[in-house]
Amino acid sequence: MEAERCYGTSSPRARRDGFRIGLQAAFRVMGVWLRLLVFGGVSLRGCGGACVPLGGSRLLICRRQFSGAESETLKQRRSQIMSRGLPKQKPIEGVKQVIVVASGKGGVGKSTTAVNLALALAANESSKAVGLLDVDVYGPSIPKMMNLKGNPELSQSNLMRPLLNYGIACMSMGFLVEETAPLVWRGLMVMSAIEKLLRQVDWGQLDYLVVDMPPGTGDVQLSVSQNIPISGAVIVSTPQDIALMDAHRGAEMFRKVHVPVLGLVQNMSVFQCPKCKHKTHIFGADGARRLARTLDLDILGDIPLHLNIREASDTGQPIVFSQPESDEAKAYLRIATEVVRRLPPPPESFPKCLGN
Ligand code: ADP
């Protein structure tokens, strides 16, 4: 009845004052967290109602007024809530270190780099076991580049056994679908395919697993980055602006999800005419170097645009395997050395991952 009298029968000024007092009382009983939720971090100053006249009426001023301690607590609370929403990272059973090879754009030589990097890691350290996982589910190229065909066998525990060539254990969506079958998949199907490729492969024991990512910065990249611990990312780009812009986005994405970026590979940086030996920078000369400087990253190496690299890939005889003494193969071998130099120390034992 008190309220009825106040709002129903008093003067406009009394009604405004009543409203203000009611609002302040409500703020007093709201916890700080509720205020944050409802008003997005804005609170009424001191609940004493700092009121100023404006256009004949009085307006309650809302000011951002968190103390350092409050905003620190808020930050912690936010990151707790965020981390609750993220999948828990679990290592891939038997795999010590995962290196992802990514690019912003398609067609810049990411898969070629992934294949030759895997072979170069194995060639540089013959005692190390290396695998290659193709999660480029829409355009898997690893079967062709590694000259592999066929369906993976199942192990006793119903896991897919990778196919093996040139000493590298390989798994790809290309082994599970027809070569020319169009993959018209919705997001959920893609995610389920990724889950299978990450969790249902019997890798045995691997020192390095090189992962050929799809181009871009979409769901697959995020899902892979959030589900498994990644030792480092290698970003491949040609030196042209259009590819570099996307490579920049790729590097930033990995940083956001706390994946260390090991560096950039500048692919197709120079073409040397086989006849006159004249060098042409078809896609520009130093674009990736400039980007590396901007991002405070290293260039892991330069790969020239070379007919042998293309032919070797297309015939399923990657250059590091088929022409290991060539300058092009040596460029990949150097990149592998740089990659290993930048990796964090590997775990002492091969990870076990019960309950996948
Ligand atoms: P992405 O994985 O980025 O889509 P690919 O690795 O499939 O790119 O390469 C695209 C094409 O370019 C392939 O035919 C490959 O053989 C060729 N290619 C890649 N790098 C080079 C290079 N350095 N010199 C010549 N051809 C290359």
Side-chain angles (χ1 to χ4, degrees), residues 203-236:
W203 291 104
Q205 294 187 332
L206 291 182
D207 293 283
Y208 305 117
L209 177 65
V210 177
V211 180
D212 183 13
M213 294 283 236
T217 52
D219 282 353
V220 173
Q221 289 82 348
L222 276 177
S223 177
V224 172
S225 311
Q226 290 172 346
N227 275 287
I228 55 169
I230 295 173
S231 303
V234 172
I235 309 234
V236 182

Side-chain angles (χ1 to χ4, degrees), residues 3 109 161 196 219 276 316 342 344-345:
R161 289 218 170 94
K196 280 192 174 49
D219 282 353
C276 70
R342 288 166 174 77

Side-chain angles (χ1 to χ4, degrees), residues 106-112 145 267-268 303-306 309-310 313:
V108 297
K110 166 186 55 64
S111 299
T112 311
M145 289 185 179
N267 192 30
M268 309 188 192
I303 307 291
L305 175 65
H306 202 289
I309 298 180
R310 206 273 303 148
S313 290

Side-chain angles (χ1 to χ4, degrees), residues 32-151:
V32 67
W33 291 114
L34 192 53
R35 277 199 316 253
L36 278 175
L37 271 175
V38 178
F39 296 97
V42 176
S43 118
L44 289 180
R45 172 114 208 146
C47 293
C51 306
V52 290
L54 186 77
S57 69
R58 294 170 76 116
L59 185 74
L60 291 165
I61 292 187
C62 301
R63 289 192 201 153
R64 287 179 188 279
Q65 53 122 35
F66 289 110
S67 66
E70 266 180 326
S71 70
E72 200 42 50
T73 327
L74 174 61
K75 263 193 218 145
Q76 282 171 9
R77 181 89 183 106
R78 274 201 193 127
S79 60
Q80 269 172 14
I81 292 170
M82 290 280 286
S83 61
R84 242 188 267 151
L86 296 177
K88 201 162 176 259
Q89 279 190 338
K90 278 189 291 184
I92 300 178
E93 176 147 6
V95 175
K96 277 191 175 173
Q97 292 193 298
V98 174
I99 303 160
V100 297
V101 180
S103 69
K105 274 228 168 313
V108 297
K110 166 186 55 64
S111 299
T112 311
T113 306
V115 163
N116 283 294
L117 173 63
L119 285 159
L121 287 166
N124 281 348
E125 295 177 272
S126 56
S127 63
K128 303 279 170 154
V130 181
L132 185 56
L133 173 62
D134 182 4
V135 292
D136 193 348
V137 285
Y138 286 112
S141 347
I142 298 306
K144 186 166 176 60
M145 289 185 179
M146 289 296 283
N147 196 22
L148 282 168
K149 245 194 182 131
N151 301 119

Side-chain angles (χ1 to χ4, degrees), residues 15 139 177 260 314:
R15 278 205 298 273
V177 293
D314 281 0

